[in-house]
Amino acid sequence: MALARATASVLPPPSWLRLRLLSIPRRLPLSSSSPPRSLLAARVVAMAGSSTAAAHRHTNRLASEHSPYLLQHAHNPVDWYPWGDEAFEQARKRDVPIFLSIGYSTCHWCHVMEVESFENEEIAKMLNEWFVSIKVDREERPDVDKVYMTYVQALYGGGGWPLSVFLSPNLKPLMGGTYFPPDDKYGRPGFKTVLRRVKEAWDSKREMLEKGGNFAIEQLSEALSATASCHRLSDELAQNSLKLCAKQLENSYDPKFGGFGSAPKFPRPVEVYLMLYASKKLMENGRESEANHTMQMVCHTLQCMARGGIHDHVGGGFHRYSVDECWHVPHFEKMLYDQGQLANVYLDTFAIKRDTFYSSVARDILDYLKRDMIGESGEIYSAEDADSAEYEGAPRKKEGAFYVWTSKEIEEILGDYATLFKDHYYVKSSGNCDLSSMSDPHNEFKGKNVLIVRKDISSMTSKLGMSVDEYSQILGLCRQRLFNMRSRRPRPHLDDKVIVSWNGLAISSFARASKILKAEVEETKFYFPVVGYNPSTYLEVAEKAAFFIKSRLYDEQAHRLQHSFRNGPSKAPGFLDDYAFLISGLLDLYECGGRTDWLSWAIELQATQDELFLDREGGGYFNTPGEDPSVLLRVKEDHDGAEPSGNSVSAINLIRLSSMVAGARSENYRHTAEHLLAVFESRLKDQSMAVPLMCNAANMLSIPSRKQVVLVGEKTSAEFDDMVAAVFASYDPNRTVIQIDPSNREDMDFWENLNQNIFQMAKSSPADKLAVAHVCQNFVCSPPVSSPDALSTLLDKTAFAVSSA
């Protein structure tokens, strides 16, 4: 943030700012405004909370918190408070502003600002004397983060973490920014300068400051809680928004390196979801050439990502984003929300292309999570840090230290295989971060290599006179050796917080993998870090994670979720994303595994979501329950960014639920989805690229009748499992899978209460068949089939029966 902007931000909003606030889109996408990471990387020392003597000279209130991010700051000289009444009362009592710092435990620039400013005794003295300082973990309190991030984005056009905001004692924002260096440099005001100017403005212009903060919150509240002008979208808009979004994405497509947009490149799986869906709609309408062109963009993007340095070739999974246009040098943190979504888009692409390249990448992601990110009780952790020490006892941490290699290290570890491996992964003695001017502009990784595949494997094997299998086995062995050596390095910090929404995304991918991967041919070979699990193993992982949430983070009496868990449930309640993402995961868990208790819980959670978040008059869902007076904004989120919006996911959940149940309950689900989408009519019309998943939802809702595949039989039999696998062998987001066992009393009671048609279908099913399938669409069901081949043929025939593109 420029110095001029920081200075102006302590003044009342001028007329241009008022206009800016009035024209705020309903959700502003995040973009980091932090400087290049290399500017201060050399000064990043071990985070607070390490075992150094200096780190324990001070202890503040954060020492009693559970959040890893708050604990990292527990030994700062800053007199930090957690978000809560004690801090607010102290600010009112002392009549001083609040300094609010928001970040998360795996945030690189949060570490930088801690070391430079929050461990600085001089700065701590200024903060302690002039302000009440509050530290918030944005992953633990996304509701608080949303309020002040939206404010900073609206005023300054960008945001990011760490988020630094100054508030009045009544919590209204006064000014804000992201990262500040301690002293004036890099074209930014120093943090000391900012503190002095805020103090001076508070002392001399307090009334204007508070008036500006009140005005900003009023305008944001009005802009971010829009209501629908009608109760449903027109069919034309529902269909056109999909086409418009696909066209906008195509216009931003990078034909050389894949992806949509320029550097830095963030994986945004919702973009791929939309393009896959759009391709299918084009194919259904006989526009094969256009469909193939759209699919080619998806495949090229996923291939470039998987071959790039953003993909951890040695340990599996994907890093947060690439700083360059060629997916090479990443920001090395790993986030759970990326892994779950990316696994799903690779699974979908495999279901379409039947190319094990995509299924292997999906396995690679899930096997990384299973190995490194899952606790003993099945809980799935949230993130791994970008920074780590280069060796035990190192005085500072460096970004990517755990992941990068010198050519000499590889030669020593791999011996005779080193040359083959180095050629395959573009390893150079001088370091390989030279593919783009953006990859390493300050020589931060000089002499280091970030593994990237630049040559086609067939050309490499042809050159060496090897079979693809022999070559792949050697690469797998090399990766195993590097993994073993890397395991001896100091690991990046693991944030072992369990976030319900992110677990919901992962539950979905594990559940779907358990059935989609059954379409791999039996001879498929796997190479490290892919383990080669029987797909059913992934269903067990999904169910265990869901059980952890139900047993530790769900109140059976109140029917309410808590947002997160670490050494016990957090104080924060469940938010919209927690309900929506978990419901989506549970629907996938039911459709793939067939246990009605997961579907029953999803229906129960949907009822609670409607009670807590639904705007019944205006339409759509707010992001918070609105029960905490310290959270000043209730936002109707719509932007599908790195994570999809809760409203987009909810719309699809409601569509899916409406096709499972019958009668008034089904109509209510559908009406709620229609009203929700109507709230965001202008967004779908004018800024569809910001809401790709919502565009999918709108198109799904415009289809007169969703396809139902009803599988009846003995769920534990191999024949039944084969029929389920036959359904998931094809890609069809407009399909609902229902599994019912006529001999299971619980199953029959469940469906008798919710959908008499399905109950009767099961009741009249032939008793001598272990598995039969009915495919229903347009209120007509096919005659039952009893073999996977017959079911596959039937699904192919019905795939083109209804089209709305």
Side-chain angles (χ1 to χ4, degrees):
M1 184 184 303
L3 178 58
R5 280 189 171 179
T7 304
S9 66
V10 298
L11 301 175
S15 58
W16 65 264
L17 175 56
R18 184 174 187 276
L19 292 172
R20 182 82 173 270
L21 285 168
L22 286 170
S23 62
I24 299 168
R26 294 195 182 96
R27 167 63 163 84
L28 288 157
L30 295 183
S31 62
S32 175
S33 59
S34 297
R37 64 187 181 194
S38 55
L39 292 175
L40 296 165
R43 299 183 61 186
V44 182
V45 298
M47 294 182 293
S50 68
S51 59
T52 62
H56 290 86
R57 287 176 56 199
H58 305 277
T59 299
N60 56 54
R61 294 167 187 80
L62 302 185
S64 60
E65 294 294 308
H66 291 171
S67 157
Y69 178 63
L70 300 190
L71 290 172
Q72 286 171 358
H73 295 78
H75 301 292
N76 296 163
V78 177
D79 188 18
W80 291 114
Y81 287 78
W83 182 266
D85 289 338
E86 182 185 6
F88 311 152
E89 179 58 34
Q90 186 67 12
R92 289 191 289 266
K93 180 179 178 182
R94 291 176 53 196
D95 198 29
V96 296
I98 291 168
F99 169 63
L100 174 64
S101 176
I102 303 178
Y104 55 101
S105 77
T106 59
C107 165
H108 173 76
W109 281 100
C110 300
H111 304 334
V112 174
M113 193 164 178
E114 179 195 4
V115 169
E116 293 182 333
S117 293
F118 304 146
E119 291 183 354
N120 182 298
E121 298 280 354
E122 179 187 359
I123 290 176
K125 187 173 185 292
M126 297 166 74
L127 284 168
N128 295 342
E129 290 182 1
W130 298 343
F131 304 91
V132 167
S133 298
I134 298 178
K135 178 64 72 173
V136 166
D137 181 343
R138 64 149 309 234
E139 295 171 356
E140 191 174 65
R141 292 302 304 259
D143 54 337
V144 176
D145 177 64
K146 174 64 64 181
V147 173
Y148 301 107
M149 181 64 77
T150 303
Y151 165 80
V152 169
Q153 288 174 318
L155 265 67
Y156 307 117
W161 297 280
L163 186 67
S164 304
V165 190
F166 295 89
L167 318 177
S168 65
N170 67 359
L171 308 181
K172 301 296 173 60
L174 308 175
M175 69 150 289
T178 54
Y179 162 80
F180 292 99
D183 300 295
D184 300 352
K185 58 179 68 175
Y186 312 126
R188 294 168 177 265
F191 194 48
K192 297 173 190 175
T193 298
V194 172
L195 294 178
R196 291 189 187 99
R197 290 185 177 172
V198 175
K199 172 70 164 61
E200 291 166 4
W202 179 256
D203 291 341
S204 62
K205 301 176 182 178
R206 173 174 175 172
E207 185 177 348
M208 286 191 295
L209 280 177
E210 292 187 310
K211 185 177 179 180
N214 289 333
F215 175 82
I217 289 297
E218 288 170 6
Q219 295 300 303
L220 288 169
S221 180
E222 182 178 337
L224 296 168
S225 57
T227 59
S229 59
C230 60
H231 280 267
R232 68 185 301 272
L233 295 175
S234 68
D235 288 342
E236 182 182 10
L237 177 57
Q239 294 162 21
N240 285 345
S241 62
L242 177 74
K243 299 173 186 176
L244 179 60
C245 186
K247 186 63 178 176
Q248 290 174 347
L249 287 172
E250 180 180 355
N251 291 340
S252 69
Y253 174 67
D254 179 350
K256 185 174 182 181
F257 297 111
F260 304 96
S262 56
K265 283 187 174 176
F266 288 75
R268 191 182 171 210
V270 288
E271 296 172 331
V272 180
Y273 287 143
L274 181 127
M275 297 300 269
L276 289 170
Y277 186 90
S279 176
K280 180 172 177 61
K281 300 299 292 184
L282 288 166
M283 187 67 76
E284 288 175 354
N285 282 276
R287 296 158 68 178
E288 186 174 351
S289 177
E290 294 172 73
N292 289 338
H293 175 63
T294 301
M295 194 68 208
Q296 186 275 333
M297 288 187 276
V298 169
C299 293
H300 184 54
T301 294
L302 295 182
Q303 289 169 10
C304 288
M305 285 172 52
R307 291 168 177 157
I310 192 172
H311 179 205
D312 180 3
H313 296 276
V314 171
F318 281 77
H319 299 295
R320 182 66 198 91
Y321 64 87
S322 168
V323 302
D324 51 53
E325 69 275 17
C326 41
W327 304 105
H328 184 200
V329 178
H331 177 46
F332 288 90
E333 67 181 326
K334 289 181 175 179
M335 309 301 295
L336 178 58
Y337 58 77
D338 283 326
Q339 315 307 325
Q341 293 181 88
L342 286 170
N344 264 334
V345 297
Y346 279 98
L347 287 168
D348 285 339
T349 307
F350 167 71
I352 296 167
K353 303 296 290 185
R354 295 296 179 92
D355 183 341
T356 54
F357 173 88
Y358 302 103
S359 64
S360 291
V361 176
R363 283 179 174 272
D364 163 293
I365 296 168
L366 299 176
D367 292 354
Y368 153 68
L369 293 178
K370 190 174 185 302
R371 183 190 67 234
D372 288 344
M373 299 294 286
I374 296 182
E376 292 182 1
S377 299
E379 68 275 30
I380 310 177
Y381 301 138
S382 63
E384 287 192 294
D385 206 339
D387 298 358
S388 59
E390 290 187 285
Y391 53 88
E392 292 293 344
R396 62 177 61 90
K397 295 186 178 185
K398 295 183 68 175
E399 182 167 12
F402 186 71
Y403 299 101
V404 297
W405 305 90
T406 65
S407 177
K408 184 178 180 181
E409 285 176 318
I410 289 174
E411 290 166 2
E412 291 174 348
I413 297 167
L414 301 184
D416 293 341
Y417 293 144
T419 299
L420 180 151
F421 187 88
K422 287 166 61 177
D423 286 347
H424 186 82
Y425 286 108
Y426 187 60
V427 174
K428 299 164 63 178
S429 58
S430 59
N432 72 354
C433 300
D434 56 359
L435 291 178
S436 166
S437 60
M438 303 182 72
S439 297
D440 191 24
H442 301 277
N443 293 319
E444 185 179 359
F445 295 113
K446 185 176 182 180
K448 305 287 186 176
N449 292 274
V450 177
L451 303 183
I452 181 171
V453 179
R454 300 190 66 205
K455 298 178 181 178
D456 185 75
I457 194 169
S458 60
S459 65
M460 302 292 283
T461 55
S462 176
K463 175 183 173 183
L464 296 171
M466 289 184 179
S467 67
V468 171
D469 179 49
E470 182 184 4
Y471 184 82
S472 298
Q473 285 182 341
I474 292 172
L475 287 177
L477 176 62
C478 290
R479 290 192 295 264
Q480 175 82 68
R481 289 182 181 177
L482 291 176
F483 176 86
N484 293 340
M485 181 60 66
R486 195 175 81 173
S487 298
R488 301 177 190 175
R489 294 175 175 176
R491 287 197 67 88
H493 157 70
L494 169 68
D495 189 327
D496 57 357
K497 182 167 66 270
V498 180
I499 298 173
V500 171
S501 57
W502 298 1
N503 270 248
L505 294 171
I507 287 168
S508 170
S509 60
F510 276 109
R512 296 179 74 246
S514 72
K515 292 299 180 282
I516 293 173
L517 292 177
K518 287 182 178 290
E520 291 173 323
V521 296
E522 290 186 10
E523 309 84 60
T524 301
K525 295 184 178 179
F526 305 103
Y527 310 98
F528 189 88
V530 175
V531 176
Y533 290 115
N534 184 308
S536 62
T537 302
Y538 295 131
L539 185 66
E540 296 169 9
V541 174
E543 292 193 320
K544 199 170 181 181
F547 181 77
F548 178 90
I549 294 171
K550 191 168 187 180
S551 61
R552 306 291 184 90
L553 285 164
Y554 185 62
D555 185 327
E556 296 270 5
Q557 281 69 48
H559 306 299
R560 287 196 176 197
L561 290 167
Q562 293 299 111
H563 171 64
S564 62
F565 182 98
R566 188 175 186 273
N567 299 326
S570 67
K571 300 171 188 174
F575 303 112
L576 173 61
D577 287 1
D578 295 310
Y579 286 85
F581 295 7
L582 179 58
I583 290 167
S584 179
L586 292 174
L587 292 178
D588 286 325
L589 197 49
Y590 167 72
E591 290 197 36
C592 295
R595 285 179 49 177
T596 54
D597 51 347
W598 298 127
L599 178 54
S600 178
W601 190 28
I603 292 170
E604 191 174 287
L605 287 170
Q606 187 63 57
T608 304
Q609 179 182 316
D610 290 352
E611 175 190 339
L612 296 177
F613 305 99
L614 181 62
D615 181 353
R616 294 188 183 275
E617 291 189 9
Y621 292 98
F622 292 105
N623 66 328
T624 68
E627 298 169 338
D628 185 345
S630 72
V631 180
L632 304 182
L633 293 177
R634 289 186 87 193
V635 177
K636 289 183 182 177
E637 187 79 44
D638 64 355
H639 180 253
D640 296 317
E643 299 173 61
S645 78
N647 273 295
S648 295
V649 174
S650 293
I652 294 175
N653 290 345
L654 291 165
I655 294 166
R656 295 174 72 180
L657 285 167
S658 72
S659 72
M660 292 181 168
V661 301
R665 190 190 295 257
S666 176
E667 288 299 316
N668 179 63
Y669 286 142
R670 189 170 181 87
H671 170 75
T672 303
E674 290 173 342
H675 199 190
L676 182 162
L677 290 169
V679 174
F680 306 107
E681 179 178 6
S682 62
R683 188 75 143 159
L684 288 162
K685 184 188 302 180
D686 302 327
Q687 295 177 303
S688 61
M689 190 170 166
V691 289
L693 194 63
M694 192 170 287
C695 292
N696 280 14
N699 191 275
M700 289 176 183
L701 196 58
S702 72
I703 295 171
S705 174
R706 187 175 173 86
K707 184 187 302 178
Q708 291 177 313
V709 182
V710 183
L711 300 165
V712 183
E714 187 180 320
K715 292 180 185 176
T716 58
S717 68
E719 289 83 353
F720 193 93
D721 191 55
D722 288 343
M723 294 287 273
V724 177
V727 178
F728 285 96
S730 62
Y731 167 78
D732 189 353
N734 285 309
R735 172 188 63 211
T736 294
V737 179
I738 294 171
Q739 301 185 37
I740 182 167
D741 186 342
S743 66
N744 185 306
R745 189 69 256 163
E746 182 182 339
D747 262 22
M748 295 297 281
D749 288 346
F750 179 86
W751 290 108
E752 186 176 18
N753 290 327
L754 288 179
N755 194 322
Q756 273 287 324
N757 291 333
I758 292 170
F759 172 75
Q760 292 297 335
M761 208 177 292
K763 191 175 180 182
S764 60
S765 185
D768 60 336
K769 301 287 187 182
L770 289 172
V772 298
H774 305 260
V775 178
C776 306
Q777 194 161 22
N778 292 328
F779 312 103
V780 176
C781 293
S782 68
V785 295
S786 56
S787 74
D789 289 342
L791 177 56
S792 296
T793 301
L794 183 57
L795 291 171
D796 286 342
K797 285 180 180 178
T798 59
F800 298 94
V802 175
S803 175
S804 62

